[in-house]
Amino acid sequence: MLSSTEPAPARKSIHVVDFDLDDFDADEEVLLDFDRQVGVGDMLTPLAEHHSADGVHSYYVLFDGSVTWGIPGMPQLMALHLQRDWEKRTFTFEGERLPLPAMAQSWLIHRGCPPEAIGLNPELGPPAADETTRALERRLAGDGDHYAMGYSYTRDDPDDMVTVVALRALDERAPSPFRVLVEEVDTDAWTHTLREGGFATQAEALRWCYSRLDGEAAPLPPVRPAAAAAAAATRPAGLPKAPAAHPPGRSR
């Protein structure tokens, strides 16, 4: 994700979004919603975009640089889907504020954007530091609709550039029904990592998020394997559960 507080090294000039809505109109309610949710676009940078061949659909992952002056912790990304009616010269849209690029990609994919067409512009934002990050981002982009977001906080302080997200699995039988995602940006190397942890309760997931923001979090607990969750669900009530593994020592 882009830093709104200091420039990234060796980046090219920031791109400005063009929604290509010249001579298009919409009813008053849509126009008001678009102005309120999206605005004119001068503070929006398209990290990814795709346009259908017929020009009807446009999909954007947008970085909103104005958020840094708003409510602390708010998501800095927007997923936007525009639909144009070329015959009537009107448009409609859907938009959602989301904390992570992969979540924005997932939102767009599940509204018809081809998955291979909404990759992030490599010239913008820090690249993934490792394959673990890339694999988790691919999975999140693909199955993001399996989870509902309960909490997020984005901090763009160059000394601790981090985003924490707490998710709830929509399938009550899912292993580790509450997940925490944490994205950390190394502003010296200009790379980012994304990690995932699993929790049994919402309170535990939120407690870890708050601790991370305070700089006191223990390592993320692993996501409970599906096989273990299935075994626990079918274990006779009279048999004791195996003791839970203790997490390793505290993080740096």
Side-chain angles (χ1 to χ4, degrees), residues 65-237:
S66 71
V67 174
T68 191
W69 295 289
I71 300 172
M74 291 293 290
Q76 296 181 336
L77 300 176
M78 168 175 272
L80 179 66
H81 175 205
L82 288 178
Q83 297 185 70
R84 303 175 186 84
D85 185 322
W86 286 89
E87 182 177 346
K88 298 179 181 179
R89 306 295 292 185
T90 60
F91 75 94
T92 58
F93 79 99
E94 290 182 274
E96 186 74 22
R97 298 276 175 172
L98 294 161
L100 296 173
M103 296 177 70
Q105 290 169 313
S106 176
W107 191 92
L108 295 171
I109 290 167
H110 289 93
R111 282 156 181 79
C113 183
E116 68 281 359
I118 199 65
L120 300 178
N121 186 337
E123 297 180 0
L124 302 173
D130 50 35
E131 181 54 33
T132 299
T133 296
R134 288 186 285 270
L136 180 52
E137 289 175 336
R138 287 193 297 268
R139 180 167 62 78
L140 186 61
D143 67 7
D145 64 330
H146 297 178
Y147 300 91
M149 188 174 71
Y151 170 81
S152 77
Y153 193 99
T154 296
R155 174 184 289 159
D156 57 11
D157 181 348
D159 293 329
D160 185 25
M161 196 175 292
V162 62
T163 297
V164 292
V165 184
L167 303 172
R168 175 180 58 83
L170 298 181
D171 183 353
E172 295 179 354
R173 300 167 297 177
S176 299
F178 295 91
R179 307 287 178 91
V180 166
L181 299 167
V182 55
E183 181 189 74
E184 297 174 321
V185 176
D186 183 332
T187 54
D188 292 327
W190 197 242
T191 59
H192 76 274
T193 58
L194 183 65
R195 297 293 186 263
E196 177 186 43
F199 296 84
T201 68
Q202 173 181 311
E204 292 172 333
L206 291 176
R207 191 179 304 119
W208 192 95
C209 290
Y210 301 151
S211 295
R212 171 59 187 84
L213 294 171
D214 289 338
E216 300 174 349
L220 279 167
V223 173
R224 192 179 184 192
T234 58
R235 182 184 295 112

